[in-house]
Amino acid sequence: MEPDPNPARRPFDGDGAVAPSTWKAPLFDGFEGDGFAPAGGLYYRDNVEQSAGTVEFQRDVTYGSAGALKLSVRPIWNGKHHRSERAEIWEHTALRVPYNQAVWYGFSVRFADPIPQDDHRHLIAQWKREIGPGAKGDYSPFLALRLVRGRLFATVETTFPSSRRNPSVSTGTSGRTPVWLRPEKRQMRALVATDPHWEQHDARLFKAYSDRITVIDRGNGLPAPQSGWIDFAVLTRPGPDGTGHIELFANDHWVVTVRGHIGHDEPGLGSRQYFKFGPYRSATQGEWTLYYDNFRRSVRSEDVLGPTGLAALRADAAARLHASN
């Protein structure tokens, strides 16, 4: 049986509209039972690539709760090129957030040993736009947390500028964000955060620079995968027209603010964003395991961030307000 080459490409509900009271309602799942909590709105998607994965509600490795998810992928393609292996948890379709709205996500993750050292695609979480059946192309996540050679990093995707003379892309580094140009997919991937072990070789694909995406360094890098539990808090608001906004926190420390052209706005794409987490890799050998705990989603930062992160966010907002007066 051949896999769906793009599992996200499937019909979505009508025009994607949902009642505001549905998508604005807070979601939480501490994975303390023997299945997904109704209050979390999560499920394990059933497709061929996901058949590589296993889901275990276990109580031996947790982070501040009575239980946690153990998600693993095993090889099913014998390393075959252009195949993927996944064990991803999805939000229920009816609970997806409108694409132009801001929402906070939080989750805790722990890497089991061995941590993959492969120099190819590994993702632990991704945020995407719905892809309708009429869309042309394969659209990457507008935000993703990734792993390469055992290093953790974050990327933001946007549309590749149509004009070769567009001044928003150059080889100069001054005031610009490193990007990987992918004109064959009409996309451009920005490198927005890395962990302490990141090396120059790890960024070899990000050879160009762009001002279409602006990254504000908040003084904290991403934690290393081997450091233990990492608690992420993320604000997402895509804006392909240049109004996009992302905030990324790890272990209650502010990592980066990202603004600008975030996401895609091509014909056939849906009206909502969605989140999924779990190990996702190009087909390879060996088993890869991650633990997840404390999933939450809310339009309120107070429901997702810890006290240190909230204090930093509020202090920044107050400083910007003072500067504007």
Side-chain angles (χ1 to χ4, degrees), residues 152-165:
L152 190 61
F153 67 111
T155 61
V156 167
E157 203 90 14
T158 191
T159 301
F160 183 79
S162 58
S163 171
R164 291 178 178 237
R165 296 183 179 179

Side-chain angles (χ1 to χ4, degrees), residues 250-268:
N251 291 337
D252 212 22
H253 296 296
W254 204 349
V255 179
V256 290
T257 298
V258 185
R259 294 184 182 275
H261 298 261
I262 297 172
H264 304 280
D265 194 22
E266 279 70 33

